[in-house]
Amino acid sequence: MSSLWNNRISISIFGESHGPAIGVIIDNLPSGEYIDVEELGRFMARRAPKKDGTTTSRSEKDLTQILSGVYNDRTTGTPLCAFIQNTDTHSGDYSNISHLARPGHADYTGAVRYKGFNDVRGGGHFSGRLTAPLCFAGAVCGQILERRGIYTGAHVKEIHGIKDAEFDHVKVSRQDILDVRYKDFPVINDKKGKLMKEDIQKARMGCESLGGIIECVSINVPAGIGSPIFDGLENSIAQLIFGIPAVKGLEFGAGFKTAKMVGSQNNDDFYVDDHGYVMTKTNNHGGILGGISSGMPITMNVAIKPTPSIAQPQETVDYHDMTNEVLSIKGRHDPCIVPRAVPCVEAAVNIALLAHLLDYPNFC
Amino acid sequence: MSSLWNNRISISIFGESHGPAIGVIIDNLPSGEYIDVEELGRFMARRAPKKDGTTTSRSEKDLTQILSGVYNDRTTGTPLCAFIQNTDTHSGDYSNISHLARPGHADYTGAVRYKGFNDVRGGGHFSGRLTAPLCFAGAVCGQILERRGIYTGAHVKEIHGIKDAEFDHVKVSRQDILDVRYKDFPVINDKKGKLMKEDIQKARMGCESLGGIIECVSINVPAGIGSPIFDGLENSIAQLIFGIPAVKGLEFGAGFKTAKMVGSQNNDDFYVDDHGYVMTKTNNHGGILGGISSGMPITMNVAIKPTPSIAQPQETVDYHDMTNEVLSIKGRHDPCIVPRAVPCVEAAVNIALLAHLLDYPNFC
Amino acid sequence: MSSLWNNRISISIFGESHGPAIGVIIDNLPSGEYIDVEELGRFMARRAPKKDGTTTSRSEKDLTQILSGVYNDRTTGTPLCAFIQNTDTHSGDYSNISHLARPGHADYTGAVRYKGFNDVRGGGHFSGRLTAPLCFAGAVCGQILERRGIYTGAHVKEIHGIKDAEFDHVKVSRQDILDVRYKDFPVINDKKGKLMKEDIQKARMGCESLGGIIECVSINVPAGIGSPIFDGLENSIAQLIFGIPAVKGLEFGAGFKTAKMVGSQNNDDFYVDDHGYVMTKTNNHGGILGGISSGMPITMNVAIKPTPSIAQPQETVDYHDMTNEVLSIKGRHDPCIVPRAVPCVEAAVNIALLAHLLDYPNFC
Amino acid sequence: MSSLWNNRISISIFGESHGPAIGVIIDNLPSGEYIDVEELGRFMARRAPKKDGTTTSRSEKDLTQILSGVYNDRTTGTPLCAFIQNTDTHSGDYSNISHLARPGHADYTGAVRYKGFNDVRGGGHFSGRLTAPLCFAGAVCGQILERRGIYTGAHVKEIHGIKDAEFDHVKVSRQDILDVRYKDFPVINDKKGKLMKEDIQKARMGCESLGGIIECVSINVPAGIGSPIFDGLENSIAQLIFGIPAVKGLEFGAGFKTAKMVGSQNNDDFYVDDHGYVMTKTNNHGGILGGISSGMPITMNVAIKPTPSIAQPQETVDYHDMTNEVLSIKGRHDPCIVPRAVPCVEAAVNIALLAHLLDYPNFC
């Protein structure tokens, strides 16, 4: 199903950018889990536009209302529906491009897929706005995970060639994750963050946009989670991560670098540590072997393409009249979506982890 | 489910490396499709070990027997079960490592996941041998696709820093794909292939192994296939590709390179060609926008890690006794799995494409 | 998943009886289908309480708002979310039974299932009120089916021993279905309906409740829809029908009567009619053979138990204190749910039929 | 998918009656479960034809070979594939009816569904023979359940009007179940069984066939298993039970009788018993309320139609030539399939119960 992910827990996302509301149903959550609504709000705020010129100037307050599945602040175990009203929509901004395919967007492919009947205003169901319910679902899952010590954190690893520091793939701690989480611009090294922001603002002034890479880690996932072949952690995370618009690549552990390595470099030697736990000395495997967690940090990189909405004139087609045209996109767009995609990546990983952990004896 | 992929068509894989047989059930294939059994054999042969020192010296004849779902050479529409007997198994090779976790393998994670009850001989259900039924399923899907003009082809793009030529992402043709398909060593530029083979043989002599990158393209996929958010072509391909052991990364189109690009570079301008088709001038989007095919070639790169089985002594643990140990892996192993993974990547892509195309009006 | 049905189309239901709202997401509907909102309202009204003493006196206006998936009165193809605010809730009515298990209800089983965290007010997610989103989803599917000539109609076949006439299982027509559809009390023979209503009113006065049987037929379903073993029409209809609270039995065609028949009586002889269509002379098979439609009317009976909420004192337990107690249920309850369940049965059948028809070449 | 049931565990059935083999993959079984292969054989033998004139005279030895998923007599946790070679097939028996639709069979509907490409020999994938892998899967699940005290047993409740005794729906014991299990003719009252057998033999002599009812109970299922709306025990059992060919009806607890009852009769009063367990005094609810087990015996009746293969001439069509014809079915057929369907019903229930119990904390 287009907007349904169904694997132990299900995430069913609905809504169009300029319709009355967007939202999500999360089914099969464990019952009795405390939901901290304020903390959910803080998670959602990380995805909201900033006032510093690095994002759209749209005001997406994303006030999420829980319609079901939570009672007396705890999950009931029955479906949790969250709903976000669309308020700050300027449909007029899009009126002039109704059948002009914005390059890099799903306007043309969506029109073919839905025979022209989909709601194209603001990208409709393809809008990046639909990551808000994904974030919400991931934030709910994250609270359940963190209460058991499992933390997931991401940061902007690279934008347009400017590189942040990286998490230590062997020793990354809860504190490392929390240190980045609530920064306005989520990088480890704020000096690099400042350079990135300047680059983004410059791009915006030049009617350009920038892409980047997000690094994400999950710690304290017990060994033995996931399954071989099609239902491993990598498969599930991948299926969810590619649900975030603009993602064009995903690698776990040493990822594409393994292609240049020899086996003795890439293999991570095992050892039993002083507490009797099995560990690896290095973590090129990214915490997953055979689809199953090893107990080491789960690590991945996610490639995000430059926002396709740019103010420069672009050659394109009118897919209704089948004519060649030139398009100048107006409206308020993100010059770089990477920082706002950071909580989206965490959300996707949280959902995958909770789903697989539900099979783990005594998890809930 | 661990070994079940279920999305319009289902692929249910079973078997252990040293059990009596491995195989696959493919459900929901269209009925009446001609199955060329000899051609299936040629596809399977591409995955088989070679005699040139670049692969294991095991003889995996992989004689696949179809038990159901094909009648008078055509699909019946009911489940197709294919089964491959395991014959050339030397269980003795593995007797000395029963509880020693081979670094880079799923021995340890599998033991935790299955509480020590899984069959570890030869990697059991985690063995690369389980890609044989995947290839078979992909070969069946591929025949159905090719009869409609949709061709998928992959090649070794890079091994250990030695790079092959690349397919032209805009103009790649059926002939380009077929030119590589049946080569003993599937590269575009045979000179580069020769260098790669020498490097692999050298690695084998040095008790090492090598990783690499596979490039895969699909052509003539009509525009409009796939769905937004969780059920796009990227999601489905990703879920399947990460089912191939040793895959550590996947990117579509310009992939991780988009992270360094600006929007005006990355966006692919649309135009209407002389035949009235919508095309893009460049193909950084890799033929997929919003999860949906654009009609342009679908392009991806897949990172394959070096074979974890290497003959050098490695530090590891006995996960039963929880002691630190040194392990020397014996047996006949592939010094580089990349060439044999080429048809596996094609197979995964064929399955995903056929699954989504079944929704396409008038496809079957 | 508890409240998710996922088979070509998905139906994800959320909400609790006394929470802010209930609703449903329908995913994978074909795009471009005209949705007649007024007609949806008429369908929903058939499920609403009546003012004639045969139902609860609660006012369930069930004003359904479409939040997504419909644009310019046509389905977009992306998820359709419908939402119904809960307004006329008297939580006070239930305050005295918080841990007393109402016999025949899911209070006790739900408390064990959800470890006491589910919202029990008004039955919570187990409430019959949750059939409103099911009806909505079925009404949407029904409009798509009826535009192609496929009509589903149900009626009260029996209440407490009083029997209505039956549809002709061979010749039932669209008109036969429409003749019953909008009656206040949906029976074929209004005289029998009058007797039933009197019996229901008598039950209500006597603090009792009544059960009954609903007969449902679908006409003009083309032959060849459905699949063998687990994915036949019977399997899918059954899975959905048992989603209606109070359903305790389901039979297709001659159903339990076949147990008393001999083969030559039960078998329906085939013949080619004057128009060249394959037909059967009788219809004991209920329009389904091997899980697949035969082209004959699909017929079934559904057993509905008496409403478990009765005003008489009943022996029960306090499942929190584990004590034996006596319970007198107050509140406004339906003395007989059978008439209001009629559109629910139609809805379930519509969903199953549309789901399977989406595989049918050229259906959409 | 036609022959795939996928709900926590998956059951993927393949094969045609006259192809090389039939079988099943069971995925997501817990690891480490002891499998008693001899006991599996005894379960399968209950489905095998008898030598007493009540069944077909075909010899279906159904020697099942386990190809994967069991190692050292215990489940590995990876997919279990079982395979049964077809040996005693007389395809000649069917050669004269290639395009003549046998009334009551899926010949015509299957031909339309699969556009004439399905293997029709012996009913192909629609054959009752495909219940052998279902039985095998159910027998495996049953062993896992019985080791935890959960027993499921069925018996022939009625054939052609002759009625067996019934299980006590409140007090039925493990011994009651075992007393019937291995009888050649599975009834509680052997005198009634003798009458039934005589009636079946008489039917066979008269070129007739008989239908009947099977009663099935499951005991010691803990309270709290299952989920509301679409994923309750009733939904899952129903979806699986209608996978057995010839099933035309299913009712739980008092079933269709509830239609004639008033609420105070039908409601089962709760009480806390001397051991502190919540029980009900009667069991009209059949052990399931709101889709969730109550801890009381789960009870159901299943209607089985008379075997459609009868030796009398029947009017039918040639669906290839579209002509009216007369058909006399030859071959060796069961005059009454009810006794052989008894273990099939148990198997279906075992699968549903194990699937839902896997969610139960500490079950495995």
Side-chain angles (χ1 to χ4, degrees):
Chain A
M1 297 301 147
S2 73
S3 306
L4 173 65
W5 188 79
N6 183 22
N7 192 348
R8 291 165 192 81
I9 60 176
S10 77
I11 306 291
S12 183
I13 288 176
F14 72 88
E16 279 95 24
S17 180
H18 290 218
I22 61 176
V24 62
I25 300 177
I26 318 171
D27 200 351
N28 212 32
L29 288 175
S31 64
E33 297 292 327
Y34 175 68
I35 298 298
D36 181 336
V37 172
E38 282 190 26
E39 178 59 29
L40 292 179
R42 279 193 291 276
F43 195 103
M44 297 300 279
R46 297 169 59 202
R47 192 199 147 277
K50 302 294 179 300
K51 298 294 180 196
D52 61 1
T54 63
T55 70
T56 175
S57 59
R58 274 194 301 261
S59 166
E60 295 186 11
K61 280 197 187 135
D62 291 349
L63 290 176
T64 310
Q65 191 190 352
I66 295 177
L67 298 182
S68 67
V70 175
Y71 184 53
N72 293 334
D73 295 328
R74 289 186 180 271
T75 56
T76 58
T78 53
L80 192 165
C81 180
F83 133 119
I84 305 170
Q85 265 190 295
N86 289 328
T87 49
D88 187 43
T89 53
H90 295 195
S91 292
D93 292 1
Y94 297 91
S95 55
N96 64 329
I97 55 161
S98 50
H99 295 114
L100 291 189
R102 291 169 300 162
H105 276 286
D107 300 339
Y108 168 65
T109 58
V112 178
R113 167 69 174 81
Y114 296 114
K115 302 171 202 157
F117 290 104
N118 56 318
D119 176 359
V120 297
R121 297 170 299 161
H125 190 61
F126 294 92
S127 167
R129 182 156 170 69
L130 272 291
T131 56
L134 179 73
C135 273
F136 182 87
V140 168
C141 295
Q143 292 196 2
I144 297 171
L145 293 167
E146 296 198 352
R147 211 155 298 126
R148 283 135 178 110
I150 299 167
Y151 282 76
T152 292
H155 69 109
V156 176
K157 184 183 170 185
E158 181 178 337
I159 284 178
H160 200 213
I162 306 169
K163 293 185 188 187
D164 189 18
E166 293 184 26
F167 285 129
D168 182 318
H169 286 191
V170 171
K171 293 183 193 158
V172 55
S173 71
R174 174 176 168 278
Q175 196 55 50
D176 294 337
I177 289 169
L178 295 182
D179 282 349
V180 176
R181 184 172 288 180
Y182 297 108
K183 288 185 182 178
D184 267 354
F185 197 88
V187 286
I188 296 172
N189 183 331
D190 291 333
K191 287 182 186 161
K192 296 303 179 74
K194 192 160 173 291
L195 294 175
M196 291 176 187
K197 278 157 74 172
E198 288 166 6
D199 211 20
I200 296 171
Q201 282 149 349
K202 206 172 110 191
R204 186 168 62 91
M205 303 306 281
C207 298
E208 266 300 355
S209 63
L210 302 179
I213 297 174
I214 292 170
E215 181 187 49
C216 184
V217 297
S218 298
I219 59 167
N220 301 332
V221 178
I225 307 302
S227 290
I229 310 197
F230 301 126
D231 194 27
L233 291 178
E234 289 161 325
N235 314 72
S236 294
I237 290 171
Q239 201 190 4
L240 285 159
I241 287 281
F242 280 108
I244 304 169
V247 168
K248 294 309 282 185
L250 171 64
E251 57 181 4
F252 294 93
F256 277 89
K257 270 185 233 150
T258 64
K260 299 194 191 304
M261 293 163 97
V262 296
S264 61
Q265 286 174 300
N266 181 58
N267 278 356
D268 301 304
D269 284 353
F270 287 102
Y271 70 101
V272 182
D273 77 0
D274 295 343
H275 306 287
Y277 289 108
V278 171
M279 310 284 280
T280 61
K281 296 179 179 175
T282 49
N283 189 9
N284 291 317
H285 70 291
I288 303 172
L289 287 167
I292 300 171
S293 58
S294 69
M296 296 299 292
I298 293 173
T299 68
M300 74 200 75
N301 290 313
V302 179
I304 309 283
K305 72 178 184 184
T307 322
S309 292
I310 53 177
Q312 301 179 36
Q314 298 181 83
E315 295 180 42
T316 190
V317 297
D318 181 309
Y319 54 80
H320 188 263
D321 298 340
M322 292 304 263
T323 51
N324 289 307
E325 305 288 344
V326 171
L327 167 69
S328 292
I329 299 177
K330 290 188 177 55
R332 300 158 294 164
H333 299 288
D334 289 276
C336 179
I337 203 72
V338 184
R340 294 182 65 196
V342 164
C344 302
V345 167
E346 292 179 15
V349 174
N350 280 337
I351 293 167
L353 290 179
L354 180 61
H356 282 275
L357 278 156
L358 290 182
D359 272 353
Y360 194 68
N362 305 319
F363 177 73
C364 287
Chain B
M1 297 302 149
S2 74
S3 305
L4 172 67
W5 188 79
N6 183 22
N7 191 347
R8 291 165 191 83
I9 60 175
S10 77
I11 306 292
S12 182
I13 288 176
F14 72 88
E16 279 95 24
S17 180
H18 288 216
I22 61 176
V24 63
I25 300 177
I26 318 170
D27 200 352
N28 212 33
L29 288 174
S31 64
E33 297 292 327
Y34 176 68
I35 298 298
D36 182 335
V37 173
E38 280 190 27
E39 178 59 30
L40 291 179
R42 279 192 291 275
F43 195 101
M44 295 300 279
R46 295 170 59 204
R47 191 198 147 276
K50 301 296 179 302
K51 299 295 182 194
D52 60 2
T54 63
T55 70
T56 175
S57 60
R58 275 194 299 261
S59 165
E60 296 186 9
K61 282 197 186 138
D62 293 347
L63 290 175
T64 310
Q65 192 191 349
I66 294 178
L67 298 182
S68 67
V70 175
Y71 184 54
N72 293 335
D73 294 327
R74 290 185 179 269
T75 56
T76 58
T78 53
L80 191 166
C81 181
F83 131 120
I84 306 170
Q85 266 191 294
N86 288 327
T87 48
D88 187 44
T89 54
H90 294 192
S91 293
D93 292 359
Y94 297 90
S95 56
N96 65 327
I97 54 160
S98 51
H99 296 113
L100 292 188
R102 292 170 300 163
H105 277 285
D107 301 339
Y108 168 64
T109 57
V112 178
R113 167 68 174 82
Y114 295 115
K115 303 172 201 157
F117 291 105
N118 56 318
D119 177 357
V120 297
R121 296 171 300 161
H125 190 61
F126 294 91
S127 167
R129 183 157 170 69
L130 272 290
T131 57
L134 179 73
C135 273
F136 181 87
V140 168
C141 294
Q143 291 195 5
I144 297 171
L145 293 168
E146 296 198 353
R147 213 155 298 127
R148 280 129 180 118
I150 298 168
Y151 282 77
T152 293
H155 69 107
V156 176
K157 184 184 173 186
E158 180 178 339
I159 284 178
H160 200 212
I162 304 168
K163 294 186 187 183
D164 189 20
E166 292 184 25
F167 285 128
D168 183 318
H169 288 191
V170 171
K171 295 184 194 156
V172 54
S173 70
R174 174 176 167 280
Q175 197 55 51
D176 294 337
I177 288 169
L178 294 181
D179 282 348
V180 176
R181 182 171 290 178
Y182 297 109
K183 288 186 180 178
D184 267 354
F185 197 88
V187 287
I188 297 171
N189 182 331
D190 292 334
K191 286 181 187 163
K192 295 304 178 75
K194 189 158 176 292
L195 295 176
M196 291 177 188
K197 278 159 72 172
E198 289 165 4
D199 211 18
I200 295 170
Q201 283 150 346
K202 205 173 112 193
R204 186 168 63 90
M205 303 306 280
C207 299
E208 266 301 357
S209 64
L210 302 178
I213 296 175
I214 292 169
E215 182 187 49
C216 184
V217 297
S218 298
I219 59 168
N220 299 333
V221 178
I225 306 303
S227 292
I229 310 199
F230 301 126
D231 194 27
L233 291 178
E234 290 162 324
N235 314 70
S236 294
I237 291 172
Q239 199 190 6
L240 286 159
I241 288 281
F242 281 108
I244 304 168
V247 169
K248 294 309 282 184
L250 171 64
E251 57 181 5
F252 294 92
F256 277 89
K257 269 185 233 148
T258 64
K260 299 195 193 303
M261 293 163 98
V262 297
S264 62
Q265 285 175 300
N266 182 57
N267 278 354
D268 301 306
D269 284 353
F270 288 102
Y271 70 101
V272 182
D273 77 0
D274 296 344
H275 306 287
Y277 290 108
V278 171
M279 310 283 280
T280 60
K281 296 180 180 175
T282 49
N283 189 9
N284 292 316
H285 71 289
I288 304 172
L289 287 168
I292 301 170
S293 58
S294 68
M296 295 298 292
I298 293 174
T299 69
M300 73 200 76
N301 290 315
V302 179
I304 310 282
K305 72 180 184 183
T307 322
S309 294
I310 53 177
Q312 301 179 32
Q314 298 180 85
E315 294 179 45
T316 190
V317 299
D318 181 309
Y319 54 80
H320 188 263
D321 299 340
M322 293 303 263
T323 51
N324 289 307
E325 305 287 345
V326 172
L327 167 70
S328 291
I329 299 176
K330 289 185 176 58
R332 301 159 294 165
H333 300 287
D334 289 275
C336 180
I337 202 72
V338 183
R340 295 183 63 196
V342 164
C344 302
V345 167
E346 292 179 16
V349 174
N350 280 337
I351 294 167
L353 290 180
L354 180 61
H356 282 275
L357 278 156
L358 290 182
D359 272 352
Y360 194 68
N362 306 318
F363 177 72
C364 285
Chain C
M1 298 302 150
S2 75
S3 306
L4 172 66
W5 188 80
N6 183 22
N7 192 349
R8 292 169 191 78
I9 60 175
S10 77
I11 306 291
S12 183
I13 288 176
F14 72 89
E16 279 95 23
S17 180
H18 288 216
I22 61 175
V24 62
I25 300 176
I26 318 170
D27 200 352
N28 213 32
L29 287 174
S31 64
E33 297 292 327
Y34 175 68
I35 298 297
D36 182 333
V37 173
E38 281 189 27
E39 177 60 28
L40 292 179
R42 278 193 291 275
F43 195 101
M44 296 299 279
R46 296 170 58 203
R47 191 200 146 275
K50 303 294 179 300
K51 298 294 179 195
D52 61 0
T54 63
T55 69
T56 175
S57 59
R58 277 194 298 259
S59 165
E60 297 187 9
K61 285 200 184 132
D62 293 350
L63 290 175
T64 310
Q65 192 191 349
I66 294 177
L67 298 182
S68 66
V70 175
Y71 184 54
N72 293 335
D73 296 326
R74 291 187 178 270
T75 56
T76 59
T78 53
L80 191 166
C81 181
F83 129 120
I84 306 171
Q85 266 189 296
N86 288 328
T87 48
D88 186 44
T89 53
H90 293 194
S91 292
D93 292 358
Y94 298 89
S95 57
N96 65 327
I97 54 160
S98 51
H99 296 113
L100 292 189
R102 291 170 300 163
H105 277 287
D107 300 339
Y108 168 65
T109 58
V112 178
R113 168 70 173 82
Y114 296 115
K115 302 174 201 157
F117 290 104
N118 57 317
D119 177 357
V120 296
R121 297 170 300 163
H125 191 61
F126 293 92
S127 167
R129 185 158 168 68
L130 272 290
T131 56
L134 179 73
C135 272
F136 182 88
V140 168
C141 295
Q143 292 195 3
I144 297 171
L145 292 169
E146 295 197 353
R147 212 156 296 127
R148 280 130 180 116
I150 299 168
Y151 283 77
T152 293
H155 69 108
V156 176
K157 185 184 172 186
E158 181 179 339
I159 284 179
H160 199 212
I162 303 168
K163 293 186 187 184
D164 188 19
E166 294 185 25
F167 286 129
D168 183 317
H169 288 190
V170 171
K171 295 183 192 158
V172 56
S173 70
R174 175 177 168 278
Q175 196 54 49
D176 294 337
I177 289 169
L178 295 181
D179 282 348
V180 176
R181 183 171 288 179
Y182 297 108
K183 288 187 182 179
D184 268 353
F185 197 89
V187 286
I188 297 171
N189 182 333
D190 291 334
K191 287 181 188 164
K192 295 305 179 75
K194 192 160 173 290
L195 294 176
M196 291 176 187
K197 278 158 74 171
E198 288 164 5
D199 211 19
I200 295 170
Q201 282 149 347
K202 205 172 109 192
R204 186 168 60 90
M205 304 305 282
C207 299
E208 268 300 356
S209 63
L210 302 178
I213 297 174
I214 292 169
E215 183 189 48
C216 185
V217 298
S218 298
I219 60 168
N220 299 333
V221 178
I225 307 303
S227 290
I229 309 197
F230 301 126
D231 195 25
L233 292 178
E234 290 161 324
N235 314 72
S236 294
I237 291 172
Q239 200 189 4
L240 286 159
I241 287 280
F242 280 108
I244 304 169
V247 169
K248 294 308 282 184
L250 171 65
E251 56 181 6
F252 293 93
F256 277 88
K257 269 185 234 149
T258 64
K260 299 194 192 304
M261 294 163 99
V262 296
S264 62
Q265 285 174 299
N266 182 58
N267 279 354
D268 301 304
D269 284 354
F270 288 102
Y271 70 101
V272 182
D273 78 1
D274 296 344
H275 306 288
Y277 290 108
V278 172
M279 310 284 280
T280 60
K281 296 180 180 176
T282 49
N283 189 8
N284 292 315
H285 71 291
I288 304 171
L289 286 168
I292 301 170
S293 58
S294 68
M296 296 298 292
I298 293 174
T299 69
M300 74 201 75
N301 290 314
V302 180
I304 309 283
K305 72 179 182 183
T307 323
S309 294
I310 53 176
Q312 301 179 35
Q314 298 180 85
E315 295 180 42
T316 190
V317 299
D318 181 310
Y319 54 79
H320 188 261
D321 298 340
M322 293 304 259
T323 52
N324 289 307
E325 305 287 345
V326 171
L327 167 69
S328 292
I329 299 176
K330 290 186 177 54
R332 300 158 294 166
H333 301 288
D334 290 276
C336 180
I337 203 73
V338 182
R340 296 182 64 196
V342 164
C344 302
V345 167
E346 292 179 14
V349 173
N350 280 337
I351 294 167
L353 289 179
L354 180 61
H356 283 275
L357 278 156
L358 290 182
D359 272 354
Y360 194 70
N362 306 318
F363 177 73
C364 285
Chain D
M1 296 302 148
S2 75
S3 306
L4 172 65
W5 188 80
N6 183 23
N7 191 349
R8 293 167 189 79
I9 60 176
S10 76
I11 306 290
S12 183
I13 288 176
F14 71 88
E16 279 95 23
S17 180
H18 289 216
I22 60 176
V24 61
I25 301 176
I26 318 171
D27 200 351
N28 212 33
L29 287 174
S31 64
E33 297 292 327
Y34 175 68
I35 298 298
D36 181 335
V37 172
E38 282 189 25
E39 178 59 29
L40 291 179
R42 278 193 291 276
F43 194 102
M44 296 299 279
R46 295 170 60 203
R47 192 198 147 275
K50 302 296 180 297
K51 297 295 181 197
D52 61 2
T54 63
T55 69
T56 174
S57 60
R58 276 194 298 261
S59 164
E60 295 187 9
K61 282 199 186 131
D62 291 349
L63 289 175
T64 311
Q65 192 191 351
I66 294 178
L67 297 181
S68 66
V70 175
Y71 184 53
N72 293 335
D73 295 326
R74 290 186 179 271
T75 55
T76 58
T78 52
L80 192 166
C81 180
F83 131 121
I84 304 170
Q85 266 190 295
N86 289 329
T87 48
D88 187 43
T89 52
H90 294 194
S91 292
D93 293 357
Y94 298 88
S95 55
N96 65 327
I97 56 161
S98 50
H99 296 113
L100 291 190
R102 293 170 299 163
H105 277 286
D107 301 338
Y108 168 65
T109 58
V112 179
R113 166 71 174 82
Y114 296 114
K115 302 172 201 157
F117 290 104
N118 56 317
D119 177 358
V120 296
R121 297 171 300 161
H125 191 59
F126 294 91
S127 167
R129 184 159 168 68
L130 272 290
T131 56
L134 179 72
C135 273
F136 182 88
V140 168
C141 295
Q143 292 196 3
I144 297 171
L145 293 168
E146 296 199 352
R147 213 156 296 127
R148 279 124 178 124
I150 299 168
Y151 282 77
T152 293
H155 69 108
V156 176
K157 185 185 172 185
E158 181 179 336
I159 284 179
H160 199 215
I162 305 168
K163 293 186 187 184
D164 189 20
E166 293 185 22
F167 286 129
D168 182 319
H169 287 191
V170 171
K171 294 182 192 158
V172 56
S173 71
R174 173 176 169 279
Q175 196 55 50
D176 294 337
I177 289 169
L178 295 181
D179 281 349
V180 176
R181 184 172 288 178
Y182 296 109
K183 287 186 182 178
D184 266 354
F185 196 88
V187 285
I188 296 171
N189 183 330
D190 290 334
K191 286 181 189 167
K192 296 304 179 75
K194 192 161 174 290
L195 294 176
M196 291 176 186
K197 279 158 73 171
E198 288 166 6
D199 211 20
I200 296 171
Q201 282 149 349
K202 207 173 110 191
R204 186 168 61 91
M205 303 306 280
C207 298
E208 266 300 354
S209 64
L210 302 179
I213 297 175
I214 291 169
E215 182 187 49
C216 185
V217 296
S218 298
I219 60 167
N220 300 330
V221 178
I225 307 303
S227 291
I229 308 196
F230 300 126
D231 194 27
L233 292 179
E234 289 161 325
N235 314 70
S236 294
I237 291 171
Q239 199 190 5
L240 285 159
I241 287 280
F242 280 108
I244 304 168
V247 169
K248 294 309 281 185
L250 171 64
E251 56 181 5
F252 294 92
F256 277 88
K257 270 185 234 150
T258 65
K260 298 193 192 304
M261 292 163 100
V262 295
S264 61
Q265 285 175 299
N266 182 58
N267 279 355
D268 301 304
D269 284 354
F270 287 103
Y271 70 101
V272 182
D273 77 0
D274 295 344
H275 306 289
Y277 289 109
V278 171
M279 310 284 280
T280 60
K281 293 178 183 177
T282 49
N283 189 10
N284 291 317
H285 71 289
I288 304 172
L289 286 168
I292 300 170
S293 58
S294 69
M296 296 299 292
I298 293 173
T299 68
M300 73 200 75
N301 291 314
V302 179
I304 309 282
K305 73 179 183 184
T307 323
S309 293
I310 53 176
Q312 300 178 35
Q314 299 180 84
E315 294 179 43
T316 190
V317 299
D318 181 308
Y319 54 80
H320 188 263
D321 298 340
M322 292 305 261
T323 51
N324 289 307
E325 304 288 344
V326 172
L327 167 69
S328 293
I329 299 176
K330 290 188 178 54
R332 300 158 294 164
H333 301 288
D334 290 275
C336 179
I337 204 74
V338 183
R340 294 182 65 195
V342 164
C344 303
V345 167
E346 293 179 16
V349 174
N350 279 337
I351 294 166
L353 290 180
L354 181 61
H356 283 275
L357 277 156
L358 290 181
D359 272 354
Y360 193 69
N362 306 318
F363 178 74
C364 288

